[in-house]
Amino acid sequence: MASVDRTSSSVSGRLSPGDLLHAGLAVALLLGVWSVGGLEVSTGKVSHLYAINGSTVLLPCTYSSCIGIKNLYFNWHYDDNGTMIKLCEAVIPVEGVEPKVGVYHERVEFVGSSKSNNISILLWNITYEDAGNYYCFARNEKEKFRNHSAVYILYVVDQIKEIDNTLTVIIVSVLGGVIGFSIIFMVIKGLVIQFILPNLDDKNKECLVSSGNDNTENGGSGAKADNKGTPKA
C-alpha cells in the first residue's frame, strides 16, 4: 500500500495545473461531441392527440443519430395503470435495412421504415381503455446501449368539439372594415391634396388678379380727376 501511495503521489506531482486543465477540456469536448451526435427519439412537435372512439390513430415516432446506428433496438409499450404492456419490438441492424417487427397486440400495426428513420405504429379501432401514455423506446449499440424514449399521450372522446369562432370572425371583420375605411380615407385625402387643392389655389389667384384689374379700370379716371388741381378763379 505504501508503494502505491508513493507512485500515485509521484504521478500527481508530475502533472502541472496546465496539464490538468487540458485534460479536463479534452474530456468535456469528448462528452459534448458524444451528446450532440447521440441518438434522439421524438414523437413530433405535438405529443398528444384527441381521437374519437372507434377510429384508427397514428402514434408517430422517429429517431436520428449523427454517429449512425448499429443494432438499433426499439419498442412501443403502453402504460396500463403502472403496468407496462409491450406492443411491438424490433432490431434495425444498420441504416436502411428494414426490421422484422414482432407485434404483440391484435390492433397494432407497424407502419415505419428505417429508410426514413420512422418507427411509427397504427392503433386500430381504439376504445376508451386505449387512452393513456404510449412510450417509444430506442437503444443504439454505438452508444453503449444508452436508453432513449419519448412519450405520446392519447385521449379518447365521444366527439371532437368544434370551436365557435363567431366572435373572432366578427372582431376581425370590424377591424378589417375600420382599416379599409382608413386606407380609403387616406387615398382620397392624398388625391385632394395633390390635384384639387392646387387647382383651387390657381383659380383664387386668377380671381384676385381679375378683380384687381377691374378696380383699376373703374377707378382710374376718378383717381386722375381727384388728382387734378382746383381750377383757378
Side-chain angles (χ1 to χ4, degrees):
M1 293 297 294
S3 61
V4 172
D5 293 338
R6 284 196 300 270
T7 303
S8 60
S9 62
S10 63
V11 171
S12 61
R14 294 185 191 134
L15 292 176
S16 64
D19 294 333
L20 293 175
L21 178 61
H22 292 158
L25 290 175
V27 172
L29 181 61
L30 289 175
L31 291 176
V33 172
W34 185 267
S35 62
V36 171
L39 183 69
E40 293 184 2
V41 178
S42 173
T43 54
K45 295 181 179 180
V46 180
S47 59
H48 65 275
L49 173 69
Y50 287 88
I52 300 176
N53 180 36
S55 63
T56 299
V57 298
L58 173 69
L59 304 181
C61 186
T62 58
Y63 64 88
S64 62
S65 177
C66 294
I67 62 175
I69 64 168
K70 180 181 179 182
N71 293 329
L72 175 69
Y73 169 80
F74 71 90
N75 67 43
W76 276 91
H77 46 278
Y78 168 65
D79 184 2
D80 186 11
N81 295 323
T83 302
M84 292 298 180
I85 300 176
K86 186 178 294 184
L87 304 178
C88 68
E89 65 179 346
V91 174
I92 304 176
V94 292
E95 296 180 7
V97 176
E98 298 298 341
K100 296 181 180 179
V101 183
V103 179
Y104 310 115
H105 193 287
E106 59 183 3
R107 290 185 288 111
V108 168
E109 178 184 357
F110 179 77
V111 293
S113 173
S114 62
K115 295 179 181 178
S116 57
N117 297 349
N118 191 334
I119 49 177
S120 304
I121 61 174
L122 280 179
L123 184 59
W124 294 85
N125 300 325
I126 61 173
T127 65
Y128 294 109
E129 289 75 16
D130 294 326
N133 297 340
Y134 290 80
Y135 293 89
C136 178
F137 173 87
R139 187 171 58 211
N140 188 8
E141 183 177 320
K142 282 192 174 183
E143 293 185 3
K144 304 302 180 182
F145 298 104
R146 292 176 60 192
N147 297 333
H148 303 271
S149 64
V151 61
Y152 197 81
I153 306 174
L154 175 63
Y155 301 95
V156 183
V157 295
D158 287 328
Q159 59 182 358
I160 304 297
K161 294 182 179 179
E162 296 182 358
I163 301 176
D164 188 3
N165 294 324
T166 304
L167 181 60
T168 303
V169 172
I170 293 174
I171 294 174
V172 172
S173 300
V174 172
L175 291 176
V178 172
I179 294 173
F181 177 77
S182 301
I183 294 174
I184 294 173
F185 176 77
M186 295 300 294
V187 171
I188 294 175
K189 182 179 178 181
L191 293 174
V192 169
I193 294 174
Q194 186 173 358
F195 297 104
I196 298 178
L197 289 182
N199 294 333
L200 290 177
D201 291 339
D202 294 339
K203 289 182 179 179
N204 290 334
K205 290 179 181 179
E206 291 176 0
C207 291
L208 290 175
V209 171
S210 61
S211 62
N213 293 334
D214 292 341
N215 290 334
T216 303
E217 292 174 358
N218 294 333
S221 58
K224 291 178 181 178
D226 292 339
N227 291 331
K228 289 181 179 180
T230 340
K232 295 182 181 179

